[in-house]
């Protein structure tokens, strides 16, 4: 089994593949990456006004406009912009969509 020096702590460790870090350092790096906070609506350029608009326009009990199924705890209903924000639709009408359906759609414009 080949040995390699860890790029972080410089200890020699046995490697089974192309690892650059020893197991403890690799686990530490993975844990730090998983602790990164997700961007909130303000950091994405939406802010408090958008949060209020979503609360007023989207009923959490509504069905997804793409698949027609109700929201679940694992896949809740979110606000989908009729015109994607990537195409200039920051103030476009909002529609209820599952988080997974909305993510799958991405920045594609689809009319219904």
């Amino acid at each position: 089994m080949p040995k390699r020096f860890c790029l972080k702590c410089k200890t020699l460790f046995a490697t089974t593949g192309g690892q650059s870090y020893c197991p403890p350092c690799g686990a530490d790096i993975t844990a730090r990456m998983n602790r990164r906070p997700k961007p909130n609506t303000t950091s994405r350029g939406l802010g408090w006004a958008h949060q209020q608009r979503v609360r007023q326009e989207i009923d959490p009990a509504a069905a997804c406009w793409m698949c027609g199924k109700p929201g679940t705890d694992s896949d809740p209903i979110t606000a989908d912009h009729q015109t994607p924000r990537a195409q200039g639709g920051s103030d476009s009408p909002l529609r209820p969509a599952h988080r997974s359906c909305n993510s799958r759609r991405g920045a594609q414009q689809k009319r219904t």
Side-chain angles (χ1 to χ4, degrees):
M1 207 180 295
K3 294 191 175 196
R4 178 178 282 181
F5 284 98
C6 175
L7 293 177
K8 185 175 178 187
C9 66
K10 309 296 185 215
T11 59
L12 191 62
F13 71 101
T15 178
T16 57
Q19 297 108 332
S20 300
Y21 300 99
C22 64
C25 291
D28 180 51
I29 290 169
T30 302
R32 266 190 282 138
M33 289 179 71
N34 290 337
R35 282 194 303 258
R36 290 182 185 167
K38 292 184 179 180
N40 59 23
T41 55
T42 303
S43 65
R44 287 184 286 151
L46 296 171
W48 180 249
H50 184 268
Q51 292 175 26
Q52 295 296 354
R53 186 172 153 222
V54 168
R55 285 189 187 107
Q56 291 171 356
E57 294 184 27
I58 302 297
D59 179 11
C64 175
W65 74 270
M66 289 184 239
C67 68
K69 297 177 184 172
T72 63
D73 289 340
S74 61
D75 198 9
I77 294 293
T78 60
D80 176 45
H81 289 85
Q82 190 167 347
T83 303
R85 290 183 61 225
Q87 296 176 2
S90 62
D91 289 334
S92 69
L94 300 174
R95 300 178 289 192
H98 286 115
R99 182 180 293 150
S100 60
C101 294
N102 198 354
S103 297
R104 192 174 326 124
R105 177 177 166 235
Q108 299 171 2
Q109 187 151 4
K110 189 174 181 181
R111 293 187 173 99
T112 53

